[in-house]
Amino acid sequence: MLENLSQESLGDGSVSPSEIKTYIEIGVLYGTAIISGLGTAWLAFKRKKCKEKLQKEKEIIAIFEDKNKNFQIYDRLMYLRIKSSADRARICQFHNGGSFLSGTPMKKFTSTHETTSKGVSNESEKLQNCVTTVFHDKIMAVKENTPKIRLVSDLTIESKSKSFYKSTEVEKFAILPIHKNDLIVGFMEVEWNEGSEISYPNDFESIFTLVRSQIEFELGKEG
């Protein structure tokens, strides 16, 4: 087409009406292509911005939901601790911890929530990525699923759990598993320190079991 136009233009330098019409058509085609390209780019940009906005809104909602969930969990833990005149109440959750050289999976637990009475140390930092086999007697107590109050002195001398309790001045404790879809995903623990004035209610076991159910509900929420 351009060759034909250049040939038709040779001569006195004037432009024929057919050439003008052709140039206009070419200009319209180029203009349409440019506008179409800009429009496509603009739409893609708008879609990207909308997706980013939706993602940010979802993240904000998730953050608020997570904060609300944690608030409810701490509220229930604090209620349990105060109602039981305990020094600590905590939640530990099980998780994968790699594997041994033999290929056997390594199971661990980590303290995720803990509340303490005034003047009592928080021990959560010491209970991160703990190998379950090291705390064998604690895990066995979890599996018993009995909300009774236990004496640290009754644990075996070589017990890692006993050593840990002694190092944090714990005299008595109670422990229950946390379930999700019939699987044990963690445990709740209540502790009373040596020398503390222990005046837990007669219905402690019922209170502990009730709070456990409430926390299972909160932990079971998505997000």
Side-chain angles (χ1 to χ4, degrees):
M1 181 183 291
L2 292 175
E3 291 179 356
N4 292 336
L5 287 174
S6 60
Q7 290 174 0
E8 289 180 11
S9 300
L10 294 176
D12 58 1
S14 61
V15 181
S16 67
S18 62
E19 286 181 303
I20 294 173
K21 180 180 178 182
T22 303
Y23 279 124
I24 292 172
E25 290 175 350
I26 293 172
V28 170
L29 288 174
Y30 276 116
T32 302
I34 292 170
I35 292 170
S36 177
L38 289 173
T40 301
W42 174 250
L43 286 174
F45 175 77
K46 291 293 288 182
R47 288 194 193 100
K48 182 181 178 182
K49 286 298 180 183
C50 285
K51 286 182 179 179
E52 289 176 353
K53 184 179 179 182
L54 287 172
Q55 182 63 32
K56 187 172 290 185
E57 288 175 352
K58 287 180 181 178
E59 289 174 358
I60 291 172
I61 291 171
I63 289 170
F64 276 108
E65 287 179 345
D66 192 55
K67 284 184 176 180
N68 181 61
K69 179 168 71 175
N70 279 313
F71 173 81
Q72 295 297 332
I73 290 171
Y74 276 113
D75 178 71
R76 293 293 82 202
L77 269 184
M78 191 176 297
Y79 168 82
L80 175 62
R81 176 179 59 77
I82 293 172
K83 195 74 175 176
S84 308
S85 298
D87 291 291
R88 295 185 192 87
R90 78 167 59 89
I91 293 171
C92 291
Q93 297 187 59
F94 294 118
H95 55 89
N96 293 327
S99 60
F100 295 101
L101 290 177
S102 63
T104 305
M106 185 185 299
K107 300 296 182 182
K108 294 184 177 182
F109 68 84
T110 288
S111 174
T112 56
H113 304 79
E114 183 173 314
T115 174
T116 62
S117 59
K118 186 177 181 180
V120 174
S121 61
N122 187 303
E123 302 297 337
S124 275
E125 290 185 3
K126 298 177 183 178
L127 292 170
Q128 302 295 307
N129 296 303
C130 301
V131 179
T132 55
T133 51
V134 175
F135 292 85
H136 176 71
D137 46 357
K138 183 190 289 286
I139 302 305
M140 293 305 294
V142 169
K143 290 181 177 180
E144 284 181 24
N145 194 19
T146 305
K148 67 181 181 181
I149 295 172
R150 305 165 188 264
L151 291 172
V152 172
S153 58
D154 289 341
L155 299 175
T156 57
I157 296 176
E158 65 275 11
S159 164
K160 172 65 176 176
S161 298
K162 186 172 187 176
S163 299
F164 184 82
Y165 285 133
K166 285 290 186 181
S167 70
T168 55
E169 302 181 339
V170 176
E171 180 182 1
K172 298 180 179 181
F173 70 98
I175 197 165
L176 276 179
I178 295 173
H179 297 92
K180 182 176 182 180
N181 299 328
D182 297 326
L183 293 175
I184 297 177
V185 296
F187 57 88
M188 289 176 59
E189 193 169 19
V190 184
E191 297 175 351
W192 293 268
N193 284 358
E194 297 172 355
S196 297
E197 185 178 339
I198 302 174
S199 58
Y200 40 79
N202 293 329
D203 58 346
F204 165 75
E205 294 187 4
S206 298
I207 294 172
F208 194 6
T209 303
L210 173 63
V211 173
R212 188 261 301 270
S213 298
Q214 294 169 337
I215 286 177
E216 283 178 337
F217 174 76
E218 292 298 331
L219 289 175
K221 289 180 179 178
E222 296 298 327

